[in-house]
């Protein structure tokens, strides 16, 4: 196994960043929706799922990215 | 009811981030893909969690999630059989009993095992069957994706098929199984980020799970108590068909011999990780079943409540059950989250097709190209053939999508395929793995006879030449349901294969003890001795027992 191969980032690190990006966008859409209307309305709009679901995704993403920020030899 | 989902800038941003990422990850991983083993087996260095999640993700394709939510609306709780008796026993059997033979022998594919255990002819027959199966199945996934994008987002049908297929082709061609597994794990999280929210919001909407019992009959809310009489349950099957057909022939066929799924376990760094792969998968399978079946039953409650304004798409006078998942997303997901929903739908397709393609290129390269066409192919040549076969596979999948478009319901079609190819495979592999007496000729003729039997009966029944009840005990005329006919045909195909394999083995020469070493029970070290140094709570059998226990409790609770 080459040195270059040993420097592969763990997949969980990427999972973390994807969840951070998506969670962040969902929260932003929730904040935007507090003031302006968006095209797709939900029958559960009153629960503001964007805000709490986006926050859950963001927190899970931060945990994954933080815990797996170091490069490992295996996945 | 307006079925069109309008995407906002937030939704587009989520979809584009995902699509950009999967293409980038294929490019990023290309630098780590040097050898054929890197390309086809992801370097054999993955942990049990990477393998277990990729294993499940390969199973969470569009037809699994979209299709089975539709089946839950059609059959109620009976659809849960696909997740319980149709999956859990086979997944556990694979991890506990079969994986040591697969992993220990260092084979690169299931046809490779058949070559080692039986002969080259059996390998080639299985490889050809697998390749045909992959084309049909990935065609279904493509068809479903295009259908969803066309119906709910108004995208062009043909463009959706070609664009999605090209994206998968791009990242699989670059780094093979490694990028397939990386993207499958990302897809796994995206799919859960979307589908977990559906029953959560759905139960709040309908007023809790108790409403399901209040709106649905016993035939739709029990698992076994109505299974003695096919007329009393929604699927029109008996417990015999469920146990022998779905639970044994189809379930074991899919989970223990389908290389598409098992390939993820072959990429594990050690035997324990390989054994734990399907066990980890089994926990997610149970959770997936709970989410899918709950979502389907929430939809039934909504459909029965006119004030909800919810109903499924009706096309040409026929209810489109596959429309339920996108319509539930439209009902419950506001802009922003709908972006995750649409991305998850796209991801489901990609998970399925990427899995098909990475398995297809492996079987083609090792079991057809290297074993028949070019026996002395170099490592770099195999790598190149793998990449070219991915492109060819994608083109064949596109062709499969157009074939699938002409079939009535996608899941029924899938079951029919499964019963044709997988039941004979599991008969021969299980007999070959657990007894030394099955000869190479027995294996070959058993496999061939089972497939011919399945295909012949499927074609004749489909054409109306013979009755659908012919293989279904206790049924007469054309009274047997499509599902009952599929389940029983799979069982009889298993029996025919096993019978022929045993019969031919009596009159032909078996392989020597030395040749069978490592491939048959009794020729390798006892399975559990690999884990004797581990504490009980880290052993495969312990975690398998817990899943089995949960599965039994669910069956008893909803009896």
């Amino acid at each position: 196994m080459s040195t270059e191969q040993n420097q592969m980032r763990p997949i969980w690190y990427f999972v973390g960043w994807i969840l951070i990006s998506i969670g962040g966008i969902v929260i932003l859409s929730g904040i935007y929706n507090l003031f302006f209307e968006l095209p797709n309305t939900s029958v559960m709009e009153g629960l503001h799922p964007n805000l709490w679901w986006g926050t859950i995704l963001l927190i899970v993403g931060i945990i994954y990215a933080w815990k797996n920020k170091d490069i490992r030899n295996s996945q | 009811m307006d079925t069109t989902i309008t995407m906002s800038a937030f939704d587009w941003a989520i979809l584009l981030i995902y699509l950009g990422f999967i293409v980038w990850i294929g490019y990023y991983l290309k630098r780590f893909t040097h050898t054929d083993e890197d390309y086809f087996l992801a370097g054999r260095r993955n942990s049990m969690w990477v393998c277990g999640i990729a294993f499940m993700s390969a199973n969470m394709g569009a037809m699994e999630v979209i299709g089975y939510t539709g089946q839950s609306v059609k059959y109620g709780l009976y659809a849960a059989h696909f997740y319980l008796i149709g999956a859990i026993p086979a997944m556990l059997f694979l991890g506990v009993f079969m994986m040591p033979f697969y992993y220990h022998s260092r084979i690169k594919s299931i046809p490779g095992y058949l070559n080692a255990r039986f002969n080259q002819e059996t390998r080639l027959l299985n490889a050809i069957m697998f390749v045909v199966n992959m084309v049909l199945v990935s065609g279904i996934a493509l068809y479903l994706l295009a259908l969803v994008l066309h119906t709910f987002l108004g995208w062009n049908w043909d463009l959706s098929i070609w664009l999605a297929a090209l994206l998968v082709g791009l990242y699989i061609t670059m780094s093979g199984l490694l990028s397939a597994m990386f993207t499958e794990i990302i897809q796994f999280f995206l799919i859960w980020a979307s589908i977990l929210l559906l029953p959560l919001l759905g139960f709040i909407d309908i007023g809790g799970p108790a409403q399901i019992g209040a709106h649905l009959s016993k035939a739709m809310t029990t698992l076994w108590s109505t299974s003695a009489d096919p007329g009393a349950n929604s699927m029109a099957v008996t417990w015999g068909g469920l146990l022998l057909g779905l639970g044994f022939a189809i379930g074991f066929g899919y989970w223990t011999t389908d290389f598409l799924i098992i390939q993820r376990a072959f990429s594990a760094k050690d035997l324990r990780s390989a054994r734990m792969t399907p066990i980890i998968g089994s926990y997610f399978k149970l959770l997936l079943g709970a989410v899918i079946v709950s979502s389907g039953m929430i939809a039934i409650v909504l459909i029965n409540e006119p004030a909800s304004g919810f109903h499924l798409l009706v096309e040409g006078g026929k209810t489109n059950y596959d429309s339920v998942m996108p319509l539930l997303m439209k009902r419950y997901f506001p802009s922003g989250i709908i972006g995750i929903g649409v991305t998850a739908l796209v991801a489901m397709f990609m998970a399925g097709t990427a899995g098909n393609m990475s398995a297809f290129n492996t079987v083609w390269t090792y079991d057809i190209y290297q074993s028949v066409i070019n026996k002395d192919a170099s490592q770099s040549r195999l790598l190149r053939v793998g990449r070219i076969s991915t492109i060819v596979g994608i083109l064949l999948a596109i062709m499969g999508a157009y074939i699938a478009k002409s079939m009535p319901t996608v899941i029924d079609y899938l079951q029919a395929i499964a019963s044709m190819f997988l039941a004979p495979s599991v008969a021969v592999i299980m007999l070959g793995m657990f007894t030394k007496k099955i000869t190479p000729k027995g294996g070959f003729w058993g496999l061939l006879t089972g497939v011919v039997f399945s295909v012949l009966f499927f074609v004749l029944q489909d054409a109306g030449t013979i009755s659908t009840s012919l293989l279904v005990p206790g049924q007469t005329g054309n009274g047997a349901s499509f599902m009952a006919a599929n389940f029983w045909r799979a069982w009889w195909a298993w029996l025919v294969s096993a019978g022929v394999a045993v019969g031919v083995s009596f009159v032909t020469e078996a392989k020597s003890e030395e040749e069978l070493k490592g491939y048959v029970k009794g020729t390798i070290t006892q399975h559990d001795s690999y884990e004797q140094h581990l504490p009980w709570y880290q052993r495969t059998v312990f975690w398998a027992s817990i899943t089995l226990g949960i599965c039994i409790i669910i069956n008893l609770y909803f009896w």
Side-chain angles (χ1 to χ4, degrees), chain A residues 4 8 40 42-43 50 53 75, chain B residues 45 47 193 332-335:
Chain A
E4 195 183 25
M8 193 191 295
N40 209 64
S42 157
V43 294
N50 298 46
W53 193 242
Q75 289 301 317
Chain B
R45 58 188 180 137
S47 70
Y332 293 127
F333 291 175
S335 292

Side-chain angles (χ1 to χ4, degrees), chain B residues 252-388:
Chain B
F252 274 69
Y254 177 74
W255 290 102
T256 68
T257 68
D258 190 337
F259 181 56
L260 157 70
I261 301 291
I262 300 172
Q263 189 180 23
R264 276 86 196 126
F266 287 1
S267 77
K269 63 183 176 187
D270 53 34
L271 177 58
R272 180 171 172 262
S273 302
R275 291 184 78 192
M276 281 300 289
T277 296
I279 310 296
I280 289 172
S282 68
Y283 285 87
F284 290 114
K285 187 70 184 172
L286 285 174
L287 183 61
L288 183 67
V291 169
I292 296 297
V293 177
S294 301
S295 300
M297 294 178 93
I298 286 165
I300 306 177
V301 174
L302 292 172
I303 292 164
N304 289 338
E305 195 65 67
S308 72
F310 184 87
H311 55 81
L312 300 181
L313 275 186
V314 178
E315 290 162 327
K318 278 186 76 175
T319 304
N320 179 352
Y321 290 98
D322 293 335
S323 66
V324 65
M325 170 71 84
L327 288 176
L328 283 175
M329 284 182 176
K330 179 177 164 51
R331 180 180 177 86
Y332 293 127
F333 291 175
S335 292
I337 296 183
I338 202 79
I340 308 180
V342 171
T343 307
L345 290 176
V346 174
M348 286 170 207
F349 149 75
M350 293 200 165
T353 304
N356 292 336
M357 285 306 113
S358 55
F360 171 86
N361 64 28
T362 308
V363 170
W364 172 263
T365 306
Y366 285 125
D367 299 302
I368 297 178
Y369 178 78
Q370 194 188 25
S371 83
V372 179
I373 301 167
N374 185 357
K375 286 188 166 60
D376 305 316
S378 65
Q379 209 175 70
S380 60
R381 178 85 186 161
L382 291 176
L383 194 58
R384 198 158 60 246
V385 169
R387 289 192 164 124
I388 293 168

Side-chain angles (χ1 to χ4, degrees), chain B residues 57-373:
Chain B
S57 193
N59 171 252
M60 286 167 70
M63 68 196 88
E64 177 71 27
V65 182
I66 300 174
Y68 283 113
T69 316
Q71 300 288 299
S72 305
V73 177
K74 202 171 174 182
Y75 301 123
L77 199 59
Y78 257 66
H81 283 301
F82 290 110
Y83 296 89
L84 298 167
I85 190 76
I88 301 300
M91 293 171 92
L92 303 183
F93 191 82
L94 170 67
V96 174
F97 297 108
M98 292 177 80
M99 196 57 80
F101 299 103
Y102 283 146
Y103 193 83
H104 193 271
S105 55
R106 305 294 286 178
I107 42 131
K108 289 168 175 165
S109 65
I110 296 294
Y113 177 81
L114 289 169
N115 181 43
R117 172 60 185 85
F118 297 112
N119 54 19
Q120 171 69 3
E121 289 75 30
T122 317
R123 169 198 223 174
L124 200 59
L125 176 63
N126 186 259
I128 293 168
M129 276 159 43
F130 183 80
V131 164
V132 172
N133 200 6
M134 281 303 93
V135 171
L136 293 173
V137 170
S138 47
I140 295 169
L142 257 180
Y143 156 73
L144 269 176
L145 175 88
L147 189 70
V148 168
L149 295 182
H150 173 70
T151 311
F152 301 99
L153 296 166
W155 295 2
N156 180 281
W157 208 92
D158 297 301
L159 188 70
S160 304
I161 281 195
W162 284 87
L163 194 68
L166 288 177
L167 275 176
V168 172
L170 196 63
Y171 72 78
I172 299 293
T173 306
M174 282 192 280
S175 32
L177 184 62
L178 197 56
S179 60
M181 289 179 68
F182 259 61
T183 47
E184 277 166 1
I185 290 168
I186 300 288
Q187 285 151 359
F188 179 87
F189 281 86
L190 272 172
I191 292 169
W192 284 111
S194 162
I195 61 170
L196 265 181
L197 205 50
L198 273 184
L200 207 63
L201 294 174
F203 278 132
I204 297 172
D205 183 29
I206 64 168
Q211 290 300 315
I212 289 175
H215 280 80
L216 271 66
S217 66
K218 193 182 170 193
M220 299 285 271
T221 53
T222 55
L223 285 170
W224 294 101
S225 58
T226 56
S227 66
D229 174 12
N233 64 70
S234 52
M235 207 177 266
V237 294
T238 58
W239 58 268
L242 287 169
L243 279 175
L244 298 174
L246 178 64
F248 187 66
I250 294 177
F252 274 69
Y254 177 74
W255 290 102
T256 68
T257 68
D258 190 337
F259 181 56
L260 157 70
I261 301 291
I262 300 172
Q263 189 180 23
R264 276 86 196 126
F266 287 1
S267 77
K269 63 183 176 187
D270 53 34
L271 177 58
R272 180 171 172 262
S273 302
R275 291 184 78 192
M276 281 300 289
T277 296
I279 310 296
I280 289 172
S282 68
Y283 285 87
F284 290 114
K285 187 70 184 172
L286 285 174
L287 183 61
L288 183 67
V291 169
I292 296 297
V293 177
S294 301
S295 300
M297 294 178 93
I298 286 165
I300 306 177
V301 174
L302 292 172
I303 292 164
N304 289 338
E305 195 65 67
S308 72
F310 184 87
H311 55 81
L312 300 181
L313 275 186
V314 178
E315 290 162 327
K318 278 186 76 175
T319 304
N320 179 352
Y321 290 98
D322 293 335
S323 66
V324 65
M325 170 71 84
L327 288 176
L328 283 175
M329 284 182 176
K330 179 177 164 51
R331 180 180 177 86
Y332 293 127
F333 291 175
S335 292
I337 296 183
I338 202 79
I340 308 180
V342 171
T343 307
L345 290 176
V346 174
M348 286 170 207
F349 149 75
M350 293 200 165
T353 304
N356 292 336
M357 285 306 113
S358 55
F360 171 86
N361 64 28
T362 308
V363 170
W364 172 263
T365 306
Y366 285 125
D367 299 302
I368 297 178
Y369 178 78
Q370 194 188 25
S371 83
V372 179
I373 301 167

Side-chain angles (χ1 to χ4, degrees), chain B residues 284-543:
Chain B
F284 290 114
K285 187 70 184 172
L286 285 174
L287 183 61
L288 183 67
V291 169
I292 296 297
V293 177
S294 301
S295 300
M297 294 178 93
I298 286 165
I300 306 177
V301 174
L302 292 172
I303 292 164
N304 289 338
E305 195 65 67
S308 72
F310 184 87
H311 55 81
L312 300 181
L313 275 186
V314 178
E315 290 162 327
K318 278 186 76 175
T319 304
N320 179 352
Y321 290 98
D322 293 335
S323 66
V324 65
M325 170 71 84
L327 288 176
L328 283 175
M329 284 182 176
K330 179 177 164 51
R331 180 180 177 86
Y332 293 127
F333 291 175
S335 292
I337 296 183
I338 202 79
I340 308 180
V342 171
T343 307
L345 290 176
V346 174
M348 286 170 207
F349 149 75
M350 293 200 165
T353 304
N356 292 336
M357 285 306 113
S358 55
F360 171 86
N361 64 28
T362 308
V363 170
W364 172 263
T365 306
Y366 285 125
D367 299 302
I368 297 178
Y369 178 78
Q370 194 188 25
S371 83
V372 179
I373 301 167
N374 185 357
K375 286 188 166 60
D376 305 316
S378 65
Q379 209 175 70
S380 60
R381 178 85 186 161
L382 291 176
L383 194 58
R384 198 158 60 246
V385 169
R387 289 192 164 124
I388 293 168
S389 63
T390 304
I391 296 166
V392 174
I394 286 286
L395 292 173
L396 290 173
I398 293 171
M399 194 178 81
Y402 287 96
I403 296 172
K405 204 182 170 191
S406 65
M407 296 295 280
T409 79
V410 169
I411 295 296
D412 291 347
Y413 179 40
L414 180 70
Q415 291 296 334
I417 293 168
S419 68
M420 277 185 250
F421 296 123
L422 294 173
S425 298
V426 74
V428 168
I429 290 177
M430 282 180 82
L431 285 172
M433 192 174 272
F434 293 100
T435 162
K436 295 172 196 163
K437 301 225 182 289
I438 303 298
T439 65
K441 282 197 165 51
F444 175 78
W445 286 107
L447 188 61
L448 184 64
T449 320
V451 173
V452 169
F453 172 90
S454 274
V455 173
L456 198 67
F457 269 83
F458 178 74
V459 170
L460 292 177
Q461 286 182 332
D462 199 47
T465 314
I466 56 170
S467 132
T468 54
S469 301
L470 190 63
L471 301 174
V472 183
Q475 287 278 332
T476 53
N478 272 324
S481 67
F482 196 88
M483 280 292 179
N486 279 338
F487 292 166
W488 282 105
R489 189 171 52 246
W491 162 249
W492 293 119
W494 187 93
L495 213 58
V496 165
S497 279
V500 170
V502 171
V504 173
S505 296
F506 272 117
V507 291
T508 52
E509 198 180 338
K511 278 190 166 182
S512 68
E513 186 92 13
E514 194 53 39
E515 287 173 299
L516 295 176
K517 198 168 169 56
Y519 305 113
V520 188
K521 187 174 182 338
T523 62
I524 61 171
T525 320
Q526 197 59 36
H527 316 144
D528 294 327
S529 64
Y530 294 101
E531 295 184 358
Q532 265 171 9
H533 64 285
L534 294 171
W536 57 269
Y537 56 85
Q538 284 184 10
R539 293 185 186 179
T540 310
V541 174
F542 170 72
W543 290 104

Side-chain angles (χ1 to χ4, degrees), chain A residues 1-19 21-33 37-45 47-54 56-57 60 64 71-75, chain B residues 4-8 10-11 13-14 17-18 21 24-25 28-29 31-34 38 43 45-47 49-50 53 178 181-183 185-186 189-190 192-194 196-197 200-201 204-205 269 329-338 340 343:
Chain A
M1 204 179 285
S2 70
T3 315
E4 195 183 25
Q5 267 187 309
N6 291 336
Q7 292 174 341
M8 193 191 295
R9 287 258 180 209
I11 177 63
W12 314 115
Y13 177 78
F14 299 110
V15 168
W17 275 105
I18 283 279
L19 292 178
S21 315
I22 290 174
I25 293 171
V26 172
I27 294 172
L28 283 178
S29 72
I31 295 169
Y32 182 89
N33 205 19
E37 202 155 298
L38 281 167
N40 209 64
T41 49
S42 157
V43 294
M44 309 306 287
E45 199 99 337
L47 293 177
H48 299 291
N50 298 46
L51 293 177
W52 53 263
W53 193 242
I56 291 171
L57 296 181
V60 174
Y64 267 88
I71 290 168
R72 289 186 210 151
N73 287 334
S74 73
Q75 289 301 317
Chain B
T4 315
I5 295 169
T6 312
M7 299 213 351
S8 67
F10 296 107
D11 303 312
I14 292 171
I17 285 176
Y18 166 75
F21 175 80
W24 174 81
I25 201 83
Y28 170 75
L29 293 175
R31 75 184 76 159
F32 304 108
T33 311
H34 304 292
D38 290 336
R45 58 188 180 137
N46 294 307
S47 70
W49 283 102
V50 168
I53 288 180
L178 197 56
M181 289 179 68
F182 259 61
T183 47
I185 290 168
I186 300 288
F189 281 86
L190 272 172
W192 284 111
S194 162
L196 265 181
L197 205 50
L200 207 63
L201 294 174
I204 297 172
D205 183 29
K269 63 183 176 187
M329 284 182 176
K330 179 177 164 51
R331 180 180 177 86
Y332 293 127
F333 291 175
S335 292
I337 296 183
I338 202 79
I340 308 180
T343 307

